[in-house]
DNA sequence: GATGAATGAGGATTCATTCAT
DNA sequence: AATGAATGAATCCTCATTCAT
């Protein structure tokens, strides 16, 4: 019944080739950056030769862009997620921020995407723009909305950070970068970091009773 | 009496050549990254030819490393700075963080250094290590010390963030990155950001009276 | 009774494949030359894929050679044609030269064949040799014979051009080249050219009465 | 006093490099055509390496174009030459056509230029246009003018070829092509050809007395 | 000190050809 | 018969580096 059963082994492999290549490209571009990565490196990683890469992707540039598209899972759903939250705002914020940490710090794709934005942004300006539109804006908007709702509910203080949620999310981004640049050499205790961060945030934002 | 006075203008200029080159190298490497920057680009910016660059620097790699050294002003003095602070800890923290913002967010060299750490870290691991030793550790240590003193003085709450000051400094790093990747396209109001951040931090860390 | 009647449409089409391919090859090779023409270009023009071309032709080189063979209609019959002519030599020459013009200037295959001889002669020396044997020699021999007969008949002057008929045929070749290189950008009035040429030739070759 | 004395050997050689390269490029492009000629072939012929070629010429295309410019000696002066002629028109035509033969048939540059026009015209349309403007038009105009003057002087018949001088010049072009494609394999007796051609032309164009 | 011609290794891309399906 | 994925040799062009002047 499955499509797989109707495809020959070769056909199955073939259908996966573009994704195999994009995955290999991701690893190589992460390791060496756009310019220093050779198309042949990517081919070797897949176990094919240069020519095969060009059979599926016109240019190295295109390959890079499609790889980015593949790893870029937009944050446009976080707003919907915030709406599913209920209970006291201290709990909602915790849940929301935990989700943010999971997606920003723990998701390798998102982490390395930030590396590409920083390292290749000058070469691929549209990558920076897309990152802003699909990641930063949705996340900040959702966070701000959550905060404003908390203020309206009388549970949060009307702090200036309500309007500049970057001041709160920022710590997660920085942790993401630390994980990215130090990898395993300097391990990061994400949970402890998250708890310490939450503690400051909640103490800093909760309305005095 | 100074050496400068005894040099002709031309001689002075020549004595400055290495620095001119390093400055030009900085701009070019920032724009294009290590691999994509051509030695000739740097030479053109200085107004000399390739050969001249090689008179002063053995290789492109060396040039890159020395450029990094030139822009890397260590943070090892921030601990001394913290010691000069007096008065209530809320004020000390404000002054200390303001200094941190100035050096992390507003100083272009520090900002772009972070770009190099992220973009070229795989190629120049020692840059990552140095960045850790000379920037992150001194800054975190001094911050932590300041917080611990505040706790000891009974002015700060013994929050878990005291031991993980990255949770506090993180926002500044993220703002630095925003300025870096968006440049002038998306202006950042550093002062407003700082005030909003301070507000959360102080409310979050001050001991209840 | 013919094979065609017993074949289905599809079978007929298939039987024509080699010729379709040769025709497409002709167009592509004319447009881009041997080296710059890709086997895939030819395949696209036929509406098949590369592999199909290789089913019918071993190599691109072979394909080129067979295409040449297809368009090369030998001039070995012009001598027979000359023998069919009768009447005064002025009329015979006019008829013969008109035939030469038709075949050299107006026949696209012959025209482009000359292009291949000039453009690819170094790569395919046998093409040059064949062109000499099958086109130039038969045409010149027949022309010379016609002229000599005219002289023997006392109708033509025993001009040195009788032995070097290229001096007469040359104009047609040049017109062929003009048509070839300028195509429609600079239209050539073949009839006017022919008449003007004939006029000089006849005045130049006829015996004085 | 000579410039040569003031240049070092190296400097002299350097100043000649572009021309050496263009000459080598001419030979290689003649032999193999534009596409099949490798930049490295040209470099080898000069005795340098690829890189050197690119030091002087941006691209292979540019190199080809400049090579063409180098070998293209315009025919715009033939009209002035015609004006220097005096005496009976039979003599003027002989002198003029001899000059045309010398420049069209015997000048290797002009000969091979025609090869490029035919072989590379589709790739470099401007070459075809330039050839028309700088070679064909000036030559035809001058020839026509000479013929018309001869008619006006009552020495030449008002033949239709007067207005279509290509019918006369054509033979020279064809001889040029023969020399080009057969090179030494089939030697051409240019003088005999010229004389035979002249004989027909003069008999064909002279007014009856 | 500075120049810039020259080198040559390296990398993106193309394309004739093969072959399993 | 036909397809099209895969190969790998070939070729344009770049650029770090050298070195004679």
């Amino acid at each position: 019944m499955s499509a797989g059963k109707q495809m020959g082994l070769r056909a199955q492999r073939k259908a996966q080739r573009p994704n195999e290549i994009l995955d290999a490209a991701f690893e190589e571009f992460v390791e060496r950056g756009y310019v220093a990565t050779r198309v042949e490196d990517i081919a070797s990683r897949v176990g094919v030769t240069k020519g095969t890469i060009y059979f599926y992707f016109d240019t190295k540039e295109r390959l890079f862009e499609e790889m980015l598209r593949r790893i870029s899972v937009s944050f446009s759903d976080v707003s919907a997620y915030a709406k599913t939250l209920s209970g006291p705002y201290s709990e909602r914020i915790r849940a929301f921020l935990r989700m943010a940490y999971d997606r920003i710090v723990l998701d390798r794709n998102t982490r390395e995407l930030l590396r590409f934005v920083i390292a290749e942004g000058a070469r691929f300006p549209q990558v920076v723009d897309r990152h802003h539109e699909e990641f930063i804006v949705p996340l900040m908007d959702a966070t701000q909305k959550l905060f404003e709702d908390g203020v309206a509910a009388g549970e949060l203080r009307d702090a200036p950070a309500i309007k500049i949620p970057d001041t709160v999310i920022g710590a997660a981004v920085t942790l993401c970068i630390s994980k990215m640049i130090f990898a395993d050499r300097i391990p990061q205790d994400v949970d402890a970091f998250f708890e310490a961060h939450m503690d400051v945030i909640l103490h800093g934002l909760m309305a005095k009773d």
Side-chain angles (χ1 to χ4, degrees), chain A:
Chain A
M1 296 297 128
S2 82
K5 278 190 180 165
Q6 300 176 25
M7 276 199 217
L9 266 177
R10 189 159 297 225
Q12 279 179 58
R13 182 143 190 99
K14 211 187 302 182
Q16 274 312 103
R17 265 291 138 82
N19 284 337
E20 282 183 81
I21 292 170
L22 291 172
D23 289 344
F26 173 70
E27 298 299 339
E28 295 292 328
F29 283 133
V30 161
E31 249 178 59
R32 286 192 254 287
Y34 176 75
V35 184
T37 295
R38 297 177 310 143
V39 172
E40 201 161 11
D41 294 334
I42 297 170
S44 300
R45 187 178 275 266
V46 179
V48 298
T49 56
K50 269 181 308 197
T52 303
I53 305 295
Y54 282 96
F55 183 80
Y56 292 98
F57 301 93
D58 277 354
T59 61
K60 182 182 168 184
E61 198 173 321
R62 267 282 229 291
L63 174 53
F64 183 73
E65 285 162 354
E66 296 207 25
M67 176 277 288
L68 283 182
R69 212 159 287 135
R70 179 168 164 82
I71 64 164
S72 300
V73 179
S74 154
F75 275 29
S76 60
D77 59 319
V78 296
S79 159
Y81 173 72
K83 285 185 191 136
T84 67
L85 299 173
S86 58
Y89 275 87
S90 61
E91 287 309 311
R92 295 191 196 187
I93 290 175
R94 161 178 289 273
F96 186 84
L97 278 191
R98 183 68 225 188
M99 178 276 303
Y101 267 79
D102 287 347
R103 294 180 66 164
I104 295 173
V105 182
L106 295 179
D107 183 298
R108 182 157 171 249
N109 285 355
T110 307
R111 221 156 60 214
E112 298 298 349
L113 181 62
L114 182 57
R115 189 201 296 271
F116 292 132
V117 169
I118 292 169
E120 317 293 353
R123 205 183 319 278
F124 298 96
Q126 75 278 20
V127 171
V128 180
D129 293 338
R130 188 145 35 102
H131 186 256
H132 186 251
E133 286 162 32
E134 296 192 8
F135 291 76
I136 298 181
V137 169
L139 181 59
M140 294 309 158
D141 283 355
T143 310
Q144 185 172 346
K145 179 66 166 44
L146 181 65
F147 287 171
E148 285 171 345
D149 289 350
V151 172
E155 295 182 38
L156 299 186
R157 189 165 62 83
D158 190 9
I162 300 294
K163 299 290 187 202
I164 311 180
D166 319 51
T167 53
V168 172
I169 300 292
V173 175
T174 301
L175 183 60
C176 152
I177 288 172
S178 287
K179 259 190 94 69
M180 187 171 83
I181 64 184
F182 297 123
D184 300 324
R185 274 183 300 166
I186 303 179
Q188 312 286 334
D189 184 337
V190 177
D191 290 334
F193 189 104
F194 171 72
E195 292 301 339
H197 186 204
M198 274 306 302
D199 169 83
V200 177
I201 293 309
L202 289 182
H203 278 84
L205 289 181
M206 298 306 288
K208 304 263 170 71
D209 44 358

